Every structure is written in structure tokens, then in C-alpha cells.
Amino acid sequence: MAAVVNDAVYYLEGFKLFSLKMGRYKIMEELAKSVFVTSVIEKIDTKDTNIRSLGIGSSKGDIESIFTKQLSNHFGKLENTVIEPAEEAIEEYKRLTAKNDWSNVDYSWFNGTFQQFKEHREKEENAPKYHHISSIDTVYYIDNPADDILTMYNMLEKGGILMIMLISDENSYYRLERRFHGIMPIRYFTCSDVLAVCQENQFQFERYHHECTADITEFISSDDHPREKKVTIDYLTQTVDFKESVSESLYNEVIDYIKSSDFSSKSYDGKILLRNDFDVIFIQKKC
């Protein structure tokens, strides 16, 4: 079965659909103005007014730029490196930056995976370290999350902060993957896994938890929106053409599970509310 993440255009279609359903952009804007300021900007321990940031799996930049704006507002100059494997997403990100009036932000672009970026850095002499690194919903797609978190940590300047945003253990995506782990082409790394890495390595960290839901009833319980229904199910299972790739009985079993209380929170009027709780882990490198 083909993984959604390997089809950049289709992945972005699913990501956009779910982001709109969950009001993701508004949530990120509020987080950037509050938690991000107190947990990153006010705590980066540096005397430099010019800082370097690194975005891992930045997609088309619409989420990451919300946080970049806050950094640009508080520091004199920002050198922002973007890692993104999808060329189409990078082109969209570049168009987005052209609209922003941030004269103190310089961008550099790496069209590739985090693994490829690591290999590229190994060939560099005096590879730069970063005051801030962000990994927003990307640890599920890197080769070895536990080891790569250590790599990210080692890329930080002393006093720098790594921000990892990922699904919580209560998230519906994780429940679905755990229930059907044998057929889904993804293994979700959750907050508990990151916290275990932090504790094992005695990292200094903070955790922020956010609860949210998305009403997906119209895309699951009716056929009025066939394209959205297909994208929804494929994105939830992380499988392109999921219905066509499995038996009818297995497909129906997955749909029944999505409609059940084990997967979703039910409202008083019977709506299917996908739980999209997420956590943000802020890891600071000791000076």
C-alpha cells in the first residue's frame, strides 16, 4: 500500500483539509503569541541579537511562518533554514515569504529529508548550530525518532531551544494506528515517547498540552462529499486509495471503528468529533 506522505501533492491536500476543519491556523496563532513567547523567545539564552533557526519538514510554511514572525519581532536578524522534501511545498513557501515584509529574515532552502540534511552537514566544515529548531508534526516521518531527537539537540547552540510538536497519546490518529498497526504505513511517535527520550538523556524541558476536536461527520457518515470523504479516510489511515487497497470487510471495520467512541468523542447530537489533542515539548540545551 502506498503511503500518503510519499505523494506530496496528495499529502498537502489532506493536511489542508484537516487544518481547516480543526481551525489549526487560529490555534497556532494563539499559541505563537502566548506559549511560544514565554517558552522559547523569553528563554533562549543568548547575548546575540542575530540568531539562527532551523525548520524540519516545514511543508509550505503557513504554520512555521507564524512562529518565524514572532522570532523576527524579537531579534535583530534571523537566519532561517528550511528543510522540506517536497519541492512543490518549498515553492509555495517561497511565494509566502515574498508576501511577508520581514526585512530582517534571511532564508536558505534544503530540498530533502532530515536524513539527507544530516548527511549534508557531515560534509560541512564548521556546520552552524541553531538557537531555535522546530519540528512540527514531522517526527513520525524521520528514520529513527529517538536518535534524531538527540541529533536535533546536538545541533542547538548552548541555551538554544528545540520545539517538538506532535500528537498526544489521547489523539484519535494514534488510537487508529494502535488499533490497526498491522496495515497502516506509519508508526506514530507520541508525547510519551519524546518525554522518555528527555528523561533518559536528562534534558531540560517543558510540556504544553492542547485539547481540540474536529467535526468529521459529513465526510464519514454520508456520500455527499465523495472527494473529501476519500481524502479524509486516506489521510487518517495514511494510505493512498485505502478503500481500493484493502478488503471490503476490513474497510468497513475501519469505518465502524472511526464512528465508535473508542476513536472519537461523540457530541450530544451524535456528531463524530475527531480528537486532535497535541503536545509541544520545549527542550533547552544547557549552557
Side-chain angles (χ1 to χ4, degrees):
M1 292 189 290
V4 168
V5 70
N6 293 329
D7 185 332
V9 174
Y10 195 45
Y11 175 85
L12 290 174
E13 182 181 356
F15 181 82
K16 182 178 180 180
L17 176 67
F18 274 83
S19 294
L20 292 173
K21 269 289 177 185
M22 293 180 290
R24 184 177 176 85
Y25 301 107
K26 182 178 180 180
I27 292 171
M28 293 298 110
E29 286 176 348
E30 292 173 352
L31 191 149
K33 293 175 182 178
S34 55
V35 178
F36 186 73
V37 171
T38 57
S39 296
V40 175
I41 290 173
E42 293 179 357
K43 290 191 175 179
I44 291 178
D45 193 352
T46 179
K47 295 180 181 178
D48 297 332
T49 56
N50 299 342
I51 68 168
R52 292 175 297 281
S53 64
L54 175 69
I56 300 172
S58 304
S59 189
K60 57 185 180 179
D62 46 350
I63 298 295
E64 187 174 277
S65 291
I66 297 171
F67 300 98
T68 302
K69 180 180 180 180
Q70 292 298 324
L71 289 169
S72 71
N73 288 342
H74 288 82
F75 293 96
K77 185 176 181 180
L78 176 63
E79 297 175 19
N80 191 34
T81 299
V82 172
I83 304 172
E84 171 53 46
E87 186 174 354
E88 299 92 337
I90 285 184
E91 292 306 313
E92 284 201 49
Y93 200 152
K94 288 180 178 179
R95 287 192 288 271
L96 178 63
T97 62
K99 299 177 183 178
N100 297 327
D101 186 23
W102 303 340
S103 58
N104 64 333
V105 182
D106 291 332
Y107 286 90
S108 59
W109 311 91
F110 186 87
N111 183 198
T113 64
F114 183 62
Q115 178 63 35
Q116 291 168 333
F117 181 76
K118 290 192 299 180
E119 294 169 357
H120 174 76
R121 273 179 65 90
E122 290 171 359
K123 299 174 184 177
E124 284 188 285
E125 291 187 16
N126 301 316
K129 290 186 180 290
Y130 303 92
H131 300 87
H132 174 59
I133 299 175
S134 67
S135 170
I136 301 175
D137 288 326
T138 56
V139 292
Y140 329 118
Y141 307 113
I142 55 182
D143 292 343
N144 189 321
D147 288 347
D148 284 339
I149 289 172
L150 293 178
T151 301
M152 295 175 201
Y153 181 85
N154 289 331
M155 289 181 181
L156 287 171
E157 289 277 9
K158 291 182 178 179
I161 296 177
L162 165 63
M163 180 179 77
I164 300 175
M165 187 179 300
L166 75 173
I167 63 174
S168 73
D169 296 66
E170 297 81 18
N171 190 290
S172 293
Y173 289 98
Y174 177 59
R175 293 183 180 188
L176 186 66
E177 183 267 328
R178 185 175 54 186
R179 173 66 178 78
F180 297 98
H181 64 277
I183 63 169
M184 289 178 61
I186 190 171
R187 192 286 196 194
Y188 281 116
F189 205 70
T190 67
C191 175
S192 294
D193 298 312
V194 175
L195 294 181
V197 174
C198 292
Q199 291 160 357
E200 180 180 351
N201 292 277
Q202 298 183 324
F203 289 160
Q204 178 180 323
F205 69 91
E206 294 180 8
R207 175 192 178 190
Y208 169 78
H209 179 74
H210 187 93
E211 296 182 2
C212 58
T213 59
D215 180 3
I216 60 172
T217 311
E218 62 180 325
F219 299 153
I220 298 297
S221 297
S222 80
D223 294 316
D224 294 340
H225 307 277
R227 178 62 182 181
E228 288 85 352
K229 182 173 184 177
K230 170 181 164 51
V231 173
T232 297
I233 294 168
D234 286 359
Y235 195 77
L236 284 172
T237 61
Q238 288 290 296
T239 303
V240 178
D241 297 329
F242 180 75
K243 185 176 183 179
E244 294 75 20
S245 302
V246 299
S247 66
E248 182 179 357
S249 61
L250 179 55
Y251 177 80
N252 290 334
E253 185 181 351
V254 170
I255 296 300
D256 288 343
Y257 181 76
I258 290 173
K259 293 178 179 179
S260 75
S261 58
D262 288 342
F263 173 83
S264 60
S265 300
K266 292 291 182 67
S267 66
Y268 67 91
D269 52 359
K271 291 182 178 179
I272 302 172
L273 302 178
L274 178 144
R275 288 194 62 177
N276 196 44
D277 298 6
F278 67 87
D279 290 281
V280 189
I281 313 299
F282 302 99
I283 304 172
Q284 184 158 28
K285 190 170 186 178
K286 296 178 181 178
C287 293

